[in-house]
Amino acid sequence: MGFPEIRPRRLRRSETIRRMVRETSLSVDDLICPLFVMDGKGVRREIPSMPEVFQLSVDNLVKEAREIAELGIPAVLLFGLPGKKDPMGKEAYSDCGIVQTAVRAIKDAEPGLAVITDVCLCEYTDHGHCGILNGEEVDNDATLDVIARSAVSHARAGADIVAPSDMMDGRVGAIRAALDTEGLDQTAIMSYAAKYASAFYGPFREAADSAPAFGDRRSYQMDPPNILEALRETALDIDEGADIVMVKPAMAYLDVVRRVRDAFDVPVAAYSVSGEYSMVKAAEKLGWIDGERIMMEMLVSIKRAGAGLIITYAAKRAARKLTGVTR
């Protein structure tokens, strides 16, 4: 049987019917909002390449966290901009560090908001690489102790989830062992399991002041053409103790998201990164696109590909759209 008896348009004729048969549902519960925190007081500095995204001092970060919680977004992902940097990234694991201070402040103000902390050294080293250098090479094994110490300090401050993004081999195992040794066995790990060496990160490096002083990160972040490698990396991270795995970036790697979702039975996150956000905002500003519709379509595509958690700079805007909150 075919046309005219079968007419697929019958199920598209009204918004109510479209809602009833919709195959993929995007919820505010799926969203994670990234935030950038820095030293100072009263700081709310808009990032030029990322409109409506700000570098915030802790006092304004708390205000932002309250608004995020009121919108029903369940979690934030914190990135720190330290007051000083050095070759070893010592501020990354200081109990008085900017992220540690921010975690405590958010947990005091909004204890129900889940706090995820990015664990990496690129924001903390004066050379901008994600690990400890040996000459001009990142020393994988020397970096593991610093990464693990950073994760422990975040967990002690109250972080619910630590998220290592450095892409050092063995870092998930090192973090899990360190957390468990310190009695922090309830702290979850969300690994950047398949993090690609992507050109989509450009605006983030301005936001986090984390551009490498020389070279690039292709010796530790993944080569974009590879997908079997992503599955291997993910399997290794799960074996080492990752509770959640992430694919980054999202839009250009939806095939990777789908393959990871099909292969593993742990929660899968995808990071809709700064370049994706900035391109939409730039085209929206020029009047070329409907920015809100594009944003929602992108987020739905990430969910449809298999991600249960979506890290996005458009989290607040999407939450307002999903919940009908207009403020």
Side-chain angles (χ1 to χ4, degrees), residues 37-41 56-63 98 101-102 105:
V37 61
M38 63 186 302
D39 286 334
K41 189 172 183 180
L56 302 164
S57 53
V58 172
D59 54 329
N60 280 326
L61 182 81
V62 169
K63 294 176 184 176
I98 186 61
T101 301

Side-chain angles (χ1 to χ4, degrees), residues 85 121-123 125-131 209-213 217 220:
K85 304 186 180 194
L121 299 185
C122 60
E123 297 105 318
T125 55
D126 55 11
H127 48 75
H129 278 283
C130 299
D209 188 25
S210 63
R217 296 178 177 144
Y220 42 101

Side-chain angles (χ1 to χ4, degrees), residues 109-175:
E110 289 291 340
L113 185 66
V115 176
I116 308 167
T117 56
D118 181 80
V119 180
C120 193
L121 299 185
C122 60
E123 297 105 318
Y124 300 91
T125 55
D126 55 11
H127 48 75
H129 278 283
C130 299
I132 306 304
L133 294 183
N134 182 359
E136 292 195 351
E137 294 286 330
V138 174
D139 188 326
N140 188 97
D141 294 7
T143 300
L144 296 182
D145 177 63
V146 182
I147 291 294
R149 290 176 71 182
S150 299
V152 167
S153 71
H154 293 179
R156 279 180 180 152
D160 300 283
I161 302 171
V162 293
S165 62
D166 55 292
M167 288 301 286
M168 297 298 113
D169 294 338
R171 89 270 199 214
V172 173
I175 290 170

Side-chain angles (χ1 to χ4, degrees), residues 279-292 294-295:
M279 287 191 297
V280 172
K281 297 300 290 185
E284 180 182 42
K285 184 177 181 180
L286 290 168
W288 290 350
I289 61 169
D290 181 330
E292 186 169 275
I294 291 285
M295 170 195 69

Side-chain angles (χ1 to χ4, degrees), residues 21 55 124 140 193 200 247 280 295 302 313:
V21 299
Q55 295 169 334
Y124 300 91
N140 188 97
F200 282 96
V247 176
V280 172
M295 170 195 69
I302 297 167
Y313 298 99

Side-chain angles (χ1 to χ4, degrees), residues 28-98:
V28 69
D29 294 337
D30 303 326
L31 304 176
I32 298 170
C33 186
L35 295 173
F36 299 96
V37 61
M38 63 186 302
D39 286 334
K41 189 172 183 180
V43 179
R44 184 176 172 86
R45 182 183 302 156
E46 189 171 29
I47 299 157
S49 59
M50 299 175 69
E52 301 172 26
V53 179
F54 299 86
Q55 295 169 334
L56 302 164
S57 53
V58 172
D59 54 329
N60 280 326
L61 182 81
V62 169
K63 294 176 184 176
E64 191 78 1
R66 286 197 181 106
E67 182 179 349
I68 287 165
E70 287 170 3
L71 287 168
I73 297 168
V76 295
L77 172 60
L78 293 185
F79 296 92
L81 285 75
K84 58 183 179 180
K85 304 186 180 194
D86 65 77
M88 301 296 289
K90 293 177 182 177
E91 282 294 299
Y93 54 84
S94 168
D95 287 339
C96 298
I98 186 61

